[in-house]
Amino acid sequence: MSENNSISVQLNKINDNTWEVPQGYRPGMRVPGRLFLSFPLLEMLEQGTLDQVANVATLPGIQKYSMAMPDAHLGYGFPIGGVAAFDREEGVISPGGVGFDINCGVRLIRSNLLESDVRPYIKDILEKLFHAIPSGVGSKSRLRVNDDQLDDIFINGSNWAVENGYGIPEDIEKCESQGMMEGALVKQVSTKARQRGRPQLGTLGSGNHFLEIQYVAEVYDRKAADAFGLYEGQVTCMIHCGSRGAGHQICTDHLRNLTQAAQKYNIYLPDKQLACAPTDSSEAQNYFGAMVCAANYAWVNRQIIMHWARGVFQDFFKQDIDELGMNLVYDVAHNVAKLEEHRIENKKKEIYVHRKGATRAFPPMHPDIPQAYRKVGQPVLIPGSMGTASYVLHGTYDSMDISFGSACHGAGRVMSRAHAKHEFRGEQIQRELSEKGISVRATQPALIAEEAPEVYKSSSDVVDVVHNLGIARKVARLMPIGVVKG
DNA sequence: ATGTAC
């Protein structure tokens, strides 16, 4: 018997895609855990990820169950691919439940171009995008903002971007939270976080972040695709990045405070990385206010990148923005905590939903989704790994009952970066992708090796789990033509 | 993910 078979015997099977971590799995669990996985994906789950789901279940005020999505893997304290909701009065807020890259997220832009318009020129277009949008570790922007502008960005998010010429008012409507969360506390952002953030607006970063030119390969749900403005053969552009050094520094700074706070408020932590504080404490609220600053910064970052990408297409095709039809379909956050109203045991309740590597998937008619999408539900954007399909889904009523209105966020890594670098050569991977009709422009070959398709789970397997569970339903599959990587 | 270690 393989080591991984031991995973399933520790769990109760609820249905083909739901496994319960019993409350007795580990002392101090206040609720059970729930893993949303098919059996083959469950067999790939690390024991450590299961333990993290159980650890999160010990935190005060946790609601219903500690959850892991099908792409879950080991994270800082909380698993990546984790969802945990805490009572507004009796719960906690934890930076580990959000992650270091605050408001890492994805945006999808549609166009009036067809695959055949773009494919012949993809290398040239990628080169221009690569030069227009700085990428890589520590990359610096050509845009510089002063401290007052940075405050404006922290407080007003996407509104700042549009008011300053980076996009159009419609872009704001098509962002989760309209690209701006309320409650920014700029005084809770350290000088160091400001210094790191000031030169990085409009930069892609590194790792699994990317800008990808894709085409719609298949539509599964015509009605929803129509609402989102998507059709087969159409070219789309997907941007995946976050809050760069600013968010990272904000997380680091406040983790220190919350580690002390957990002791001060006598919160039992099975793992120090679960540092947290009661929701109404100054420590928790200060973190939350700083987290909002980083979230708003990330929306501005993606907005500026989109603006520059639009510029490249305008220059290249000699068309204006209306002719090109490069409209924002949607922008989702997948690393953030939000105060939301949910129905629990038939009562409306305010809870802090922590989604870390998980996407909000709100249902039709929800007031927090754009008017244009009210009949079909929120667009849920699931990027694949480099060279594999990405998916567009829509949110459902069931997601509100099953997962606090949440779904998965991506493919999920199965091999460490170090191992991948040892196993693969960047040039070789690049050649293989090229043979499949996918061009890659990256800062260095080693990065391509670290992000090889083989080091991730299959995005289609992961998406099938959320689709079959009904927490989000498939609308369209997008295939890459060209990728810009940091 | 990340000025890839304080």
Side-chain angles (χ1 to χ4, degrees):
Chain A
M1 196 190 275
S2 83
E3 189 194 352
N4 281 332
N5 283 343
S6 61
I7 291 268
S8 65
V9 303
Q10 304 165 66
L11 307 171
N12 301 323
K13 182 174 177 175
I14 306 287
N15 59 44
D16 283 350
N17 291 301
T18 309
W19 306 80
E20 184 183 66
V21 187
Q23 222 174 309
Y25 177 83
R26 158 155 306 198
M29 282 174 73
R30 295 167 194 259
V31 294
R34 285 253 164 136
L35 313 177
F36 301 116
L37 294 158
S38 60
F39 187 72
L41 288 174
L42 182 66
E43 285 185 299
M44 292 163 72
L45 192 78
E46 307 147 284
Q47 183 70 44
T49 309
L50 169 57
D51 292 345
Q52 288 191 327
V53 172
N55 289 343
V56 170
T58 69
L59 297 177
I62 186 160
Q63 301 292 298
K64 286 172 81 170
Y65 24 77
S66 163
M67 289 175 275
M69 290 294 156
D71 49 342
H73 54 110
L74 214 58
Y76 183 91
F78 292 59
I80 295 163
V83 178
F86 301 94
D87 185 273
R88 184 183 193 161
E89 264 102 47
E90 280 145 35
V92 293
I93 296 175
S94 174
V98 171
F100 278 83
D101 192 2
I102 296 165
N103 190 5
C104 184
V106 185
R107 77 170 45 193
L108 181 70
I109 304 138
R110 60 174 187 250
S111 79
N112 292 336
L113 297 164
L114 295 175
E115 183 197 351
S116 54
D117 297 327
V118 171
R119 197 180 275 287
Y121 312 107
I122 190 65
K123 284 216 156 77
D124 205 0
I125 296 169
L126 282 186
E127 200 58 30
K128 289 186 161 65
L129 288 166
F130 185 81
H131 290 289
I133 297 150
S135 61
V137 180
S139 53
K140 298 262 169 78
S141 178
R142 61 176 184 272
L143 165 69
R144 288 304 148 96
V145 292
N146 61 33
D147 261 324
D148 288 344
Q149 291 170 310
L150 198 58
D151 279 351
D152 204 342
I153 287 159
F154 286 153
I155 294 167
N156 296 311
S158 293
N159 299 302
W160 178 89
V162 171
E163 280 163 19
N164 286 274
Y166 299 98
I168 53 174
E170 278 169 60
D171 298 340
I172 292 172
E173 287 168 37
K174 300 289 166 60
C175 290
E176 184 174 321
S177 301
Q178 291 75 49
M180 187 209 103
M181 281 175 73
E182 304 276 355
L185 296 176
V186 295
K187 286 199 167 62
Q188 296 305 322
V189 179
S190 67
T191 307
K192 208 169 169 185
R194 287 172 169 279
Q195 278 170 353
R196 291 181 68 176
R198 227 183 276 116
Q200 290 190 318
L201 280 162
T203 64
L204 201 52
S206 184
N208 64 0
H209 291 165
F210 63 77
L211 184 154
E212 188 168 280
I213 307 305
Q214 317 163 317
Y215 69 97
V216 180
E218 191 175 359
V219 166
Y220 305 101
D221 179 336
R222 183 77 53 193
K223 185 183 134 207
D226 280 350
F228 298 163
L230 299 173
Y231 51 87
E232 279 171 21
Q234 174 189 31
V235 167
T236 59
C237 173
M238 186 176 270
I239 295 164
H240 176 205
C241 67
S243 50
R244 311 283 287 107
H248 191 274
Q249 191 62 47
I250 285 169
C251 181
T252 303
D253 293 339
H254 285 266
L255 267 173
R256 204 182 308 117
N257 294 347
L258 290 191
T259 302
Q260 289 173 0
Q263 281 200 324
K264 173 177 155 189
Y265 297 107
N266 255 324
I267 300 171
Y268 162 74
L269 301 179
D271 175 357
K272 216 183 139 194
Q273 297 184 351
L274 297 169
C276 62
T279 53
D280 59 358
S281 66
S282 61
E283 293 91 342
Q285 285 301 316
N286 288 344
Y287 163 68
F288 193 79
M291 180 212 74
V292 168
C293 294
N296 291 343
Y297 178 101
W299 273 307
V300 173
N301 191 30
R302 290 195 288 275
Q303 182 70 30
I304 294 172
I305 291 171
M306 173 174 75
H307 180 72
W308 286 342
R310 280 170 168 164
V312 166
F313 276 83
Q314 280 175 271
D315 281 354
F316 193 88
F317 289 97
K318 310 281 180 240
Q319 291 181 20
D320 67 28
I321 189 155
D322 289 333
E323 284 174 282
L324 277 172
M326 287 186 72
N327 299 318
L328 182 58
V329 175
Y330 206 55
D331 178 302
V332 297
H334 59 218
N335 277 11
V336 82
K338 285 179 165 177
L339 184 59
E340 294 175 357
E341 190 180 84
H342 286 262
R343 191 169 275 279
I344 298 170
E345 284 162 3
N346 236 2
K347 271 192 233 139
K348 279 186 182 173
K349 202 167 183 183
E350 283 200 303
I351 52 177
Y352 280 98
V353 183
H354 292 57
R355 297 188 183 90
K356 179 187 192 177
T359 309
R360 200 185 72 175
F362 276 177
M365 304 318 288
H366 196 287
D368 288 354
I369 62 176
Q371 198 67 49
Y373 304 152
R374 286 276 163 89
K375 284 190 180 160
V376 288
Q378 175 196 320
V380 176
L381 310 175
I382 311 297
S385 55
M386 185 176 61
T388 66
S390 295
Y391 290 83
V392 180
L393 296 87
H394 69 78
T396 65
Y397 294 106
D398 281 350
S399 77
M400 299 306 271
D401 292 331
I402 296 172
S403 56
F404 298 116
S406 317
C408 63
H409 89 307
R413 190 169 266 281
V414 290
M415 191 189 291
S416 72
R417 291 186 177 280
H419 189 175
K421 259 197 284 200
H422 183 74
E423 195 83 3
F424 303 109
R425 293 203 33 88
E427 291 88 346
Q428 171 73 17
I429 298 293
Q430 192 163 18
R431 253 197 316 279
E432 285 167 15
L433 289 170
S434 170
E435 281 160 17
K436 289 196 281 180
I438 302 160
S439 304
V440 184
R441 180 66 170 93
T443 45
Q444 48 187 327
L447 198 120
I448 300 178
E450 289 178 25
E451 293 295 318
E454 291 84 350
V455 312
Y456 284 90
K457 292 175 193 170
S458 148
S459 55
S460 63
D461 290 352
V462 166
V463 163
D464 282 344
V465 171
V466 303
H467 176 86
N468 291 332
L469 266 173
I471 56 180
R473 300 284 294 178
K474 290 199 271 190
V475 176
R477 179 165 52 89
L478 314 171
M479 283 304 292
I481 306 171
V483 197
V484 176
K485 297 285 294 180

